[in-house]
Amino acid sequence: MKVCKFGGSSLADARQVSKVVDIVLSDLQRRIVVVSAPGKRAKDDVKVTDMLIGLARKSLAGEDASAELEAVVERYAGIARDLSLGDGIVATVRADLEALLAGPKDDPGVYTDALKAAGENENAKLVTEAFRARGANARYASPKDTGMVLSGPSGNATLEEESYANLFRAFSDFSGIVVYPGFFGYRKDGTVATFPRGGSDITGSILAAAVRADVYENFTDVDSVYPVDPRIVPEVSEGIATMTYREMRELSYAGFGVFSDEAVYPAVKARVPINIRNTNHPSAPGTMIVQTRRVEPGRPVGIACDGGFCNFIVDKYLMNREVGFGRRLFQILEDEGISYEHSPSGIDSISVIVRERNLDRETERRVTARIKRELSPDNVTVTHGYAMLMVVGEGMIFSPGMLAKAAGALASHGINISMVNQGASEISFMICVKDECREDAIRALYNAYFPH
Ligand code: ASP
């Protein structure tokens, strides 16, 4: 059995919804369909989730929000009209939204979450109607009735472990197609709670794990995951057919935006294969993400790049003999609540790479002062503007010359390597270059590892 998740762009209008219905009906294994709220129909359009946030804000401010309400209802009404679904579903959407708007406002976060969740909830009801209009046996399932229990702050909720058993039970005996709204669940006190933005991916992954699906199909708007960012290397044509969970995690950490490593964690933990596919090109097999795969020795699966890093460089003569130096350095970062990304070191120097967005100037000043005071180094400097390149692939294990190839390619383009880090797992290595060289560096590495 397959759990399929369709994102906002896959459900933005009637044409897209029809494609989704076709895709699901073309494979009897596709039994659970997780839907996002309608997304953007064009570049300058507004997602229904953002419209609902605006609606909640106005209503909380005590202002007249009827125009915003009508605009949201119209998004659903337009789809219903174009699919000839009748007026019933539009009346349901309107009544549900009116009831939510009239709900208690004592906790603005809870109030906003309830309205945000309606984006997916109403869409699940509409998509169910679209299946029925095509003669399919489909039903809507509610996160409340099926036991999707969440906890934590509004807009950033997390799953309660008991949900897996609840969902397994709820889906143990069902027939036909179930349409399930993504992005939200319920706290034990009955209030709605949403996952972070983009959270329908999390719902899909949780359901796939709970029902032990054979595959979790995540439909988006690209044919596959590419070994390098096609915006930087437009000539990349061949997508990644299969990669492992570990490769996926490394690539997504280092900037691959097609999927979120956190969102797919439930499916990864349950070892459910994940298939990234394209709603607009359903015959393309997409990218499979699995526990193990056959590897081609010496060939990476992908090259990722992310910018915006800075580097604390701490030098001290005889540092290698000073027991506890590293621990005390990292303690300072921990005290400041800063997580670090890598820490390449030499005998008398240690670097700590941090994302610039996690470090304001004041914190940087405080951390530097504490390092000087508490560790008495010869020198501490903070340098900004680094990009991190990651070359990733299980095929690199025990393959001599992988780093040499990267170093040679960068050298031949006159690009200086600021830092290098390779973990003992040998599944990836990281190279830091200055931000301004990043696109050239990506192209150089791509041409070195993926000659065409
Ligand atoms: N509709 C929500 C958002 O726009 C969740 C999702 O689409 O996954 O963030």
Side-chain angles (χ1 to χ4, degrees), residues 193-208:
T194 65
F195 291 121
R197 292 299 302 267
S200 299
D201 278 341
I202 308 180
T203 306
S205 160
I206 291 167
L207 281 179

Side-chain angles (χ1 to χ4, degrees), residues 5 7-8 36-37 47 49 120 183 196-201:
K5 181 259 164 180
S36 285
K47 288 177 166 194
T49 307
E120 306 0 63
F183 191 37
R197 292 299 302 267
S200 299
D201 278 341

Side-chain angles (χ1 to χ4, degrees), residues 74 261 326 440 451:
E74 182 47 36
D261 46 356
D440 286 343

Side-chain angles (χ1 to χ4, degrees), residues 333-381:
L333 295 174
E334 186 179 336
D335 293 347
E336 293 288 341
I338 301 167
S339 84
Y340 73 96
E341 308 299 320
H342 288 273
S343 179
S345 61
I347 50 166
D348 284 344
S349 94
I350 182 163
S351 291
V352 186
I353 301 172
V354 173
R355 284 190 193 268
E356 274 165 346
R357 64 164 186 262
N358 295 340
L359 189 79
D360 56 54
R361 289 286 160 159
E362 180 47 33
T363 315
E364 177 184 322
R365 202 200 47 72
R366 230 180 10 252
V367 169
T368 312
R370 278 193 64 186
I371 294 174
K372 282 188 182 152
R373 201 172 52 241
E374 297 171 30
L375 299 173
S376 311
D378 298 334
N379 199 22
V380 190
T381 43

